Amino acid sequence: MSTARGLVWKDLSAEDVANVTAEADPSAKLELLCKVLQLNHYADNARSAILADFCLYNLTFCEENDFSAEKTSALFSILRLTFEYSFEGAVPVDMHASLAFFKGKMLEHSVENPPERVGVFTLQEVRLVTDYIGKT
């Protein structure tokens, strides 16, 4: 990892987080999110639709738990990378490997020890996110 704040702002800028979370209409929010992510085939591509819905649900979780823009951006990227690791590789990945990947990314973002780790999430937030992931 670089000296940047880990995965913070990798996929969503502070402005993206503000714009998407400010949209109240779920359909408009999904459309805006697809635009930000450059998912151009949401309506006719099952993989894009699944990823977009997954990302929308994750943003909703962040909103419901009052995560800051920084935390929202970091979690969004951690979960998107976990999705890609789990479903887009050349070799199938089992649930245990996916969970280990996710836990590794969360650890990188829950302890301040630059440059390898950045303290974005508290222990309580890590538990909250892990519980959420266990239910989705």
Side-chain angles (χ1 to χ4, degrees):
M1 228 185 298
S2 71
T3 57
R5 298 275 306 152
L7 295 173
V8 176
W9 317 131
K10 179 185 183 307
D11 294 307
L12 295 178
S13 69
E15 182 179 358
D16 292 335
V17 172
N19 290 339
V20 173
T21 57
E23 180 57 61
D25 177 62
S27 296
K29 185 178 280 205
L30 182 60
E31 186 176 321
L32 181 58
L33 182 60
C34 287
K35 183 178 177 185
V36 168
L37 297 177
Q38 299 177 352
L39 291 174
N40 302 321
H41 303 287
Y42 171 80
D44 59 3
N45 180 291
R47 186 237 169 247
S48 293
I50 291 167
L51 176 59
D53 288 345
F54 177 72
C55 290
L56 181 64
Y57 296 139
N58 296 336
L59 282 177
T60 300
F61 168 82
C62 292
E63 287 180 69
E64 289 172 349
N65 289 282
D66 295 321
F67 278 17
S68 67
E70 179 186 48
K71 292 174 192 289
T72 298
S73 177
L75 184 60
F76 184 92
S77 293
I78 289 168
L79 295 176
R80 184 174 183 184
L81 283 175
T82 302
F83 180 94
E84 291 170 355
Y85 171 81
S86 301
F87 299 109
E88 295 181 1
V91 178
V93 176
D94 67 20
M95 184 176 66
H96 298 291
S98 295
L99 184 58
F101 181 88
F102 162 75
K103 286 181 177 180
K105 293 299 177 194
M106 285 301 291
L107 180 61
E108 290 173 9
H109 292 80
S110 60
V111 176
E112 190 69 40
N113 187 16
E116 292 84 20
R117 296 182 178 169
V118 292
V120 176
F121 301 104
T122 66
L123 179 58
Q124 182 179 3
E125 290 164 340
V126 170
R127 287 180 179 148
L128 182 68
V129 169
T130 302
D131 186 50
Y132 164 71
I133 291 304
K135 294 177 182 176
T136 56

